[in-house]
Amino acid sequence: MKKHNFNAGPSILPRIAVENSAKAILDLNGSGLSLLEISHRHKDFQVIIDEANALFHELLNIPPGYHVLFLGGGASTQFVMVPYNLLQTQAAYLETGAWAKKAIKEAKIFGTVNVVGSSADKNFNYIPKGYTIPSDADYFHITTNNTIFGTEIKYDMDSPIPLVADMSSDMLSRPTDVSKYAMIYGGAQKNLGPAGVTFVIIREDILGKVDRKIPSMLDYKIHIDNGSMYNTPPCFAIYTCLETLKWIKGLGGLTTIRAMNEKKANLLYHAIDHSKMFIGTVNKEDRSLMNICFVMKEEYKDKEEAFMEFAKGKGMIGIKGHRSVGGFRASTYNALPIESVQALIDCMHEFEKTNL
Ligand SMILES: *Cc1c(COP(=O)(O)O)cnc(C)c1O
């Protein structure tokens, strides 16, 4: 049976990226050596990391003054590194979900955290509006896509202070105006590659403004000066990212990717909105294009488990909602084909026919 992979992360990757990664594990470019068996200082690996870096710059049209880093530790380590490197006295955060809360928790270790807006009052089913970004804070931190709750800030906002964005789950899902951000980071395992590598895009002029001493491994400047090779980078994960970046470029870049993502998300949201049984959980204008959350209406709540089983029988993978939302979550990342979205919709319709 064909499987439709709606996993939230780690999640579906372009098939070609998976196949080429498998080949590189067996034999890197006909060298007779596995990608897993060569030094990160080997010229063949330098070519890989350089190309991944160059493709990041090309696809996102990254302006001068920024660096792309490939680090370990996941997005969760960035929750620490950001305040360690940037928070002198006060930082502003937007509280839009579980990941934002974790970022806030770490920042509080280093200084005052001003939570300028929160959607905690409605279980994070919307993006706060009408807040003011304080001009005297060191930076403003946002989570552009809230993987668990299915909300997304789908535009690049203006900020009077350096804007720092956790883009773990919507990175490279649309064209992004990098010049609006001082820093963008994320774990690769949602939309870009395997777990193990964390991408960071950082404008160098925001560094060097805090008094504290920074341990080398947590110091952005050290990683910039060493080209992401201060220590051994996650070589294999970077290789798969490169393959994904090539796939995006081959499709025509991020404008094409966005159009594909909008088409898929609109198809599923339309089906949810026209369903008698299912209902979306998120404020419509804040809906994510990447993680689509829905539940069964009150009168059908007791059928959620039956639908899960039914869907599983039709090859649907990973559609169980996060425990803090319940119901269902279909993650429609870049690599998910529209046929899988259609298959899920067909599955919903078929279930409704016999259970309404
Ligand atoms: C998954 C996720 C994280 C955590 O990433 P790790 O790489 O596991 O640390 C952080 N932020 C967002 C938005 C995520 O989706």
Side-chain angles (χ1 to χ4, degrees), residues 259-281:
M260 290 164 62
N261 286 332
E262 282 176 345
K263 204 168 163 193
K264 286 183 288 182
N266 289 342
L267 192 65
L268 185 49
Y269 281 125
H270 182 270
I272 292 165
D273 290 342
H274 289 78
S275 161
K276 288 198 176 69
M277 190 173 256
F278 299 92
I279 185 167
T281 59

Tab-separated table of all heavy atoms in Angstrom, residues 259-281:
chain	number	residue	atom	x	y	z
A	259	ALA	N	3.942	28.355	-4.220
A	259	ALA	CA	2.714	28.079	-4.981
A	259	ALA	C	2.253	26.645	-4.746
A	259	ALA	O	1.055	26.378	-4.551
A	259	ALA	CB	2.966	28.344	-6.473
A	260	MET	N	3.192	25.721	-4.717
A	260	MET	CA	2.850	24.307	-4.455
A	260	MET	C	2.267	24.157	-3.054
A	260	MET	O	1.268	23.449	-2.855
A	260	MET	CB	4.109	23.423	-4.581
A	260	MET	CG	4.635	23.269	-5.999
A	260	MET	SD	6.357	22.630	-6.028
A	260	MET	CE	6.149	21.037	-5.260
A	261	ASN	N	2.907	24.818	-2.083
A	261	ASN	CA	2.449	24.707	-0.688
A	261	ASN	C	1.069	25.327	-0.505
A	261	ASN	O	0.229	24.794	0.234
A	261	ASN	CB	3.465	25.353	0.255
A	261	ASN	CG	4.722	24.498	0.407
A	261	ASN	OD1	4.672	23.270	0.266
A	261	ASN	ND2	5.851	25.131	0.673
A	262	GLU	N	0.835	26.461	-1.170
A	262	GLU	CA	-0.479	27.114	-1.052
A	262	GLU	C	-1.569	26.233	-1.657
A	262	GLU	O	-2.662	26.098	-1.097
A	262	GLU	CB	-0.454	28.478	-1.754
A	262	GLU	CG	0.248	29.526	-0.911
A	262	GLU	CD	0.403	30.881	-1.595
A	262	GLU	OE1	0.228	30.955	-2.830
A	262	GLU	OE2	0.715	31.848	-0.892
A	263	LYS	N	-1.238	25.618	-2.778
A	263	LYS	CA	-2.221	24.771	-3.450
A	263	LYS	C	-2.626	23.592	-2.557
A	263	LYS	O	-3.821	23.280	-2.401
A	263	LYS	CB	-1.609	24.261	-4.767
A	263	LYS	CG	-2.610	23.882	-5.806
A	263	LYS	CD	-1.935	23.681	-7.143
A	263	LYS	CE	-2.866	22.900	-8.055
A	263	LYS	NZ	-2.192	22.400	-9.242
A	264	LYS	N	-1.633	22.966	-1.962
A	264	LYS	CA	-1.900	21.804	-1.092
A	264	LYS	C	-2.713	22.226	0.142
A	264	LYS	O	-3.716	21.588	0.475
A	264	LYS	CB	-0.572	21.189	-0.623
A	264	LYS	CG	0.157	20.407	-1.677
A	264	LYS	CD	1.436	19.774	-1.111
A	264	LYS	CE	2.514	20.789	-0.848
A	264	LYS	NZ	3.780	20.211	-0.347
A	265	ALA	N	-2.249	23.304	0.796
A	265	ALA	CA	-2.919	23.731	2.027
A	265	ALA	C	-4.347	24.190	1.727
A	265	ALA	O	-5.282	23.830	2.453
A	265	ALA	CB	-2.121	24.846	2.698
A	266	ASN	N	-4.519	24.949	0.652
A	266	ASN	CA	-5.867	25.422	0.311
A	266	ASN	C	-6.817	24.266	0.043
A	266	ASN	O	-7.985	24.302	0.432
A	266	ASN	CB	-5.817	26.350	-0.919
A	266	ASN	CG	-5.170	27.686	-0.586
A	266	ASN	OD1	-5.064	28.043	0.592
A	266	ASN	ND2	-4.729	28.412	-1.595
A	267	LEU	N	-6.306	23.240	-0.615
A	267	LEU	CA	-7.120	22.067	-0.930
A	267	LEU	C	-7.631	21.418	0.359
A	267	LEU	O	-8.830	21.141	0.501
A	267	LEU	CB	-6.247	21.082	-1.722
A	267	LEU	CG	-6.915	19.900	-2.405
A	267	LEU	CD1	-7.860	20.388	-3.507
A	267	LEU	CD2	-5.846	18.976	-3.032
A	268	LEU	N	-6.713	21.232	1.325
A	268	LEU	CA	-7.106	20.560	2.566
A	268	LEU	C	-7.989	21.464	3.441
A	268	LEU	O	-9.008	21.015	3.989
A	268	LEU	CB	-5.863	20.090	3.335
A	268	LEU	CG	-6.110	19.258	4.597
A	268	LEU	CD1	-7.090	18.121	4.353
A	268	LEU	CD2	-4.795	18.708	5.142
A	269	TYR	N	-7.624	22.743	3.554
A	269	TYR	CA	-8.459	23.653	4.356
A	269	TYR	C	-9.869	23.763	3.762
A	269	TYR	O	-10.856	23.836	4.490
A	269	TYR	CB	-7.810	25.038	4.458
A	269	TYR	CG	-6.682	25.117	5.473
A	269	TYR	CD1	-5.418	25.574	5.107
A	269	TYR	CD2	-6.889	24.740	6.811
A	269	TYR	CE1	-4.386	25.652	6.042
A	269	TYR	CE2	-5.864	24.812	7.742
A	269	TYR	CZ	-4.613	25.273	7.359
A	269	TYR	OH	-3.603	25.342	8.279
A	270	HIS	N	-9.942	23.786	2.445
A	270	HIS	CA	-11.259	23.860	1.794
A	270	HIS	C	-12.099	22.637	2.163
A	270	HIS	O	-13.285	22.743	2.497
A	270	HIS	CB	-11.072	23.975	0.270
A	270	HIS	CG	-12.358	24.096	-0.485
A	270	HIS	ND1	-13.050	22.991	-0.954
A	270	HIS	CD2	-13.098	25.176	-0.824
A	270	HIS	CE1	-14.161	23.396	-1.554
A	270	HIS	NE2	-14.216	24.720	-1.494
A	271	ALA	N	-11.467	21.472	2.131
A	271	ALA	CA	-12.187	20.236	2.472
A	271	ALA	C	-12.643	20.270	3.940
A	271	ALA	O	-13.770	19.866	4.255
A	271	ALA	CB	-11.288	19.023	2.219
A	272	ILE	N	-11.771	20.763	4.822
A	272	ILE	CA	-12.126	20.837	6.245
A	272	ILE	C	-13.307	21.803	6.434
A	272	ILE	O	-14.288	21.498	7.124
A	272	ILE	CB	-10.911	21.294	7.090
A	272	ILE	CG1	-9.826	20.219	7.082
A	272	ILE	CG2	-11.325	21.638	8.522
A	272	ILE	CD1	-8.464	20.686	7.577
A	273	ASP	N	-13.219	22.961	5.769
A	273	ASP	CA	-14.266	23.992	5.944
A	273	ASP	C	-15.608	23.565	5.363
A	273	ASP	O	-16.642	24.110	5.732
A	273	ASP	CB	-13.806	25.310	5.306
A	273	ASP	CG	-12.667	25.950	6.087
A	273	ASP	OD1	-12.482	25.578	7.269
A	273	ASP	OD2	-11.956	26.801	5.523
A	274	HIS	N	-15.590	22.629	4.412
A	274	HIS	CA	-16.841	22.181	3.799
A	274	HIS	C	-17.299	20.837	4.335
A	274	HIS	O	-18.185	20.206	3.782
A	274	HIS	CB	-16.698	22.148	2.273
A	274	HIS	CG	-16.628	23.524	1.684
A	274	HIS	ND1	-15.473	24.279	1.733
A	274	HIS	CD2	-17.572	24.295	1.096
A	274	HIS	CE1	-15.705	25.448	1.177
A	274	HIS	NE2	-16.965	25.502	0.786
A	275	SER	N	-16.654	20.403	5.412
A	275	SER	CA	-16.996	19.102	5.980
A	275	SER	C	-18.078	19.259	7.050
A	275	SER	O	-18.131	20.253	7.771
A	275	SER	CB	-15.730	18.494	6.605
A	275	SER	OG	-16.088	17.483	7.519
A	276	LYS	N	-18.924	18.245	7.156
A	276	LYS	CA	-19.951	18.240	8.208
A	276	LYS	C	-19.366	17.697	9.508
A	276	LYS	O	-19.863	17.936	10.589
A	276	LYS	CB	-21.121	17.343	7.787
A	276	LYS	CG	-21.984	17.933	6.686
A	276	LYS	CD	-23.333	17.218	6.639
A	276	LYS	CE	-24.267	17.844	5.618
A	276	LYS	NZ	-23.796	17.612	4.218
A	277	MET	N	-18.273	16.954	9.374
A	277	MET	CA	-17.743	16.219	10.501
A	277	MET	C	-16.494	16.851	11.120
A	277	MET	O	-16.325	16.842	12.341
A	277	MET	CB	-17.419	14.803	10.022
A	277	MET	CG	-17.084	13.816	11.083
A	277	MET	SD	-16.948	12.176	10.369
A	277	MET	CE	-18.490	11.439	10.879
A	278	PHE	N	-15.641	17.401	10.249
A	278	PHE	CA	-14.362	17.945	10.723
A	278	PHE	C	-14.420	19.466	10.811
A	278	PHE	O	-15.182	20.116	10.099
A	278	PHE	CB	-13.225	17.553	9.763
A	278	PHE	CG	-13.020	16.074	9.636
A	278	PHE	CD1	-13.669	15.342	8.634
A	278	PHE	CD2	-12.193	15.396	10.524
A	278	PHE	CE1	-13.476	13.971	8.501
A	278	PHE	CE2	-11.999	14.017	10.402
A	278	PHE	CZ	-12.641	13.305	9.386
A	279	ILE	N	-13.573	20.012	11.682
A	279	ILE	CA	-13.498	21.469	11.810
A	279	ILE	C	-12.042	21.873	12.134
A	279	ILE	O	-11.354	21.169	12.880
A	279	ILE	CB	-14.494	21.971	12.889
A	279	ILE	CG1	-14.512	23.496	12.942
A	279	ILE	CG2	-14.187	21.391	14.267
A	279	ILE	CD1	-15.670	24.070	13.751
A	280	GLY	N	-11.601	22.960	11.531
A	280	GLY	CA	-10.241	23.449	11.784
A	280	GLY	C	-10.138	24.031	13.184
A	280	GLY	O	-11.130	24.478	13.757
A	281	THR	N	-8.920	24.043	13.758
A	281	THR	CA	-8.769	24.546	15.129
A	281	THR	C	-8.200	25.961	15.161
A	281	THR	O	-8.116	26.563	16.226
A	281	THR	CB	-7.810	23.647	15.945
A	281	THR	OG1	-6.546	23.612	15.290
A	281	THR	CG2	-8.351	22.241	16.086
